[in-house]
Amino acid sequence: MATERAVLERGWRLACSPADADVLVVCGTPGPRLAEAVDLVWEQLPGPRVRIDVLNRSELTDALPGAHAGLLDDDHHRRDARDRPGAPDLLAGREAEDEPSGHESHSDHADHGGDEGSDEPSGHEGHGNHADHGGHDMEMSPGGIPLAEGDEDRDELEMDVLAVRLGPVLPHWPAGLVLRCSLQGDVLTGARAELLGAEHEDGDAADRRTRALDRVVSVLALAGWEDAAECARRVRDAPATGDARPTTTDRPTASPGLARLRRRVRRSRMLRWSLRGLGPLTADDVRRLGLPEDAGGDAYDRLLHLLDDVDEPAPPGGRQAVPVDALADPVVGLDLAAARLVLAGLGLGGLSAAPAPRPEATRG
């Protein structure tokens, strides 16, 4: 969030995809698997491009001006254009990494050939009868991406099954989270979550208010209400812009910006219509999945709860970590866009890798 704030303060625009970006900012030191995903995102950036690594906040002051200077370095961009690998080289590398040792089971390479940092359909599962499938014929894998195969859906009709990998690098997405999904039509019929961590986990330095408002930004942006998301972003960054929050002796009073945001969200019939009934969780669901107590209700309830409790003091001991293997159940049965909305509102700032993953969640 500090990097995002610094980028916006310079008048720059946040990119929504690698194709839209010319600067990649890597915050912290990613672990080996997350570093591979970051490298793949870097290869997707068109030139001219610049990559900067920021290990702590103090380096932001010099890093962003350095990125601007790098974009003006013509010699660097000529060398980069000459030396960067082409699409065939990248595809060959991915195929070598994903090639299984045998065909005893195809369930372990459902994400065969997919991009680690994108949410594009990336493979196939449910192979059915593969008696004469002697190998991955290139004609069945145009561009290195295997075609989908059929499987029965909940209506007992055969439909294509795509393996879709969300994360670990997506806008408004928990850093390092990978959700491996089985997709029939536009519905997720199965999901499995895992966490790719940083090399050094230093914790989240942001306070409760900033984290809550950042979740509000994500929900509003994913719901397609960019103007309200920008308003929430300004409220989130208020301490840096001088929007003071008067306080009383017992609890803080909402700033004018936060009060306006609350009224605007509550008055929007379109937003209520879009989120109401999405990803409902009962109190029993919350306890069973190990989610925070405020995760109950649907996506709209969780958004209102976020806005109402922005200035509440943090609970003793901090917010509980969410087990990563609990994230599959709430999204099965939703489409991709709805699944992202549900996860954005759950408050996944503190994910923990489960010691023993549960079986894949399915819904027929």
Side-chain angles (χ1 to χ4, degrees):
M1 285 180 278
T3 301
E4 181 179 317
R5 182 184 300 123
V7 167
L8 295 174
E9 287 176 349
R10 294 182 63 87
W12 294 0
R13 185 171 60 87
L14 298 172
C16 60
S17 69
D20 192 38
D22 47 24
V23 176
L24 175 63
V25 183
V26 182
C27 300
T29 305
R33 296 182 63 195
L34 186 55
E36 292 179 6
V38 172
D39 290 341
L40 184 57
V41 171
W42 169 244
E43 294 301 339
Q44 296 173 3
L45 264 69
R49 59 178 187 166
V50 172
R51 172 174 174 168
I52 56 176
D53 296 278
V54 180
L55 299 181
N56 53 66
R57 294 189 181 190
S58 62
E59 297 183 3
L60 276 175
T61 305
D62 298 325
L64 295 183
H68 180 259
L71 288 174
L72 303 177
D73 188 346
D74 292 339
D75 292 337
H76 164 76
H77 298 307
R78 291 190 186 97
R79 291 192 300 270
D80 182 55
R82 183 182 64 246
D83 299 337
R84 68 183 298 176
D89 299 324
L90 294 174
L91 286 173
R94 296 296 298 172
E95 290 171 0
E97 293 175 6
D98 293 336
E99 185 66 28
S101 57
H103 273 60
E104 295 81 8
S105 172
H106 282 265
S107 60
D108 292 334
H109 70 286
D111 57 342
H112 187 77
D115 287 347
E116 189 81 25
S118 72
D119 59 354
E120 292 298 316
S122 58
H124 55 273
E125 77 180 39
H127 270 51
N129 183 12
H130 257 43
D132 57 351
H133 185 76
H136 285 292
D137 192 327
M138 288 306 295
E139 293 181 358
M140 296 298 294
S141 303
I145 303 176
L147 299 178
E149 301 242 352
D151 197 7
E152 287 188 357
D153 72 348
R154 49 188 159 186
D155 297 323
E156 297 185 357
L157 301 174
E158 183 171 328
M159 292 184 64
D160 285 346
V161 180
L162 295 177
V164 180
R165 179 162 48 188
L166 296 177
V169 183
L170 280 176
H172 309 296
W173 183 262
L177 175 64
V178 176
L179 194 66
R180 303 178 185 273
C181 311
S182 302
L183 191 66
Q184 284 186 316
D186 61 349
V187 177
L188 280 90
T189 58
R192 177 170 57 88
E194 62 177 310
L195 187 63
L196 310 184
E199 186 171 293
H200 303 289
E201 298 287 353
D202 296 327
D204 190 353
D207 57 29
R208 173 187 172 93
R209 178 180 187 273
T210 302
R211 288 195 301 269
L213 285 169
D214 191 62
R215 289 167 57 192
V216 173
V217 171
S218 296
V219 173
L220 294 176
L222 291 172
W225 198 3
E226 289 292 344
D227 185 54
E230 180 58 33
C231 291
R233 187 178 287 111
R234 288 196 296 267
V235 176
R236 183 197 67 187
D237 297 340
T241 57
D243 185 6
R245 294 181 295 142
T247 61
T248 61
T249 56
D250 52 350
R251 63 169 290 176
T253 302
S255 68
L258 177 57
R260 286 193 298 270
L261 178 63
R262 285 170 173 166
R263 290 194 300 269
R264 191 175 183 186
V265 167
R266 288 184 179 276
R267 291 174 178 174
S268 173
R269 294 182 179 180
M270 180 63 73
L271 183 67
R272 181 169 60 250
W273 175 83
S274 300
L275 301 183
R276 181 60 77 190
L278 189 61
L281 293 172
T282 65
D284 290 339
D285 293 332
V286 170
R287 287 191 295 270
R288 174 173 56 85
L289 298 174
L291 297 173
E293 293 182 0
D294 58 5
D298 57 21
Y300 187 69
D301 294 326
R302 288 188 284 270
L303 176 60
L304 296 184
H305 190 276
L306 271 178
L307 288 169
D308 289 340
D309 291 348
V310 160
D311 290 321
E312 290 288 343
R319 189 177 179 86
Q320 71 181 78
V322 177
V324 69
D325 63 341
L327 303 183
D329 192 82
V331 300
V332 171
L334 303 177
D335 59 49
L336 289 178
R340 293 189 62 184
L341 265 171
V342 169
L343 291 182
L346 283 177
L348 305 179
L351 284 173
S352 65
R358 301 181 308 175
E360 181 181 358
T362 58
R363 184 172 299 170

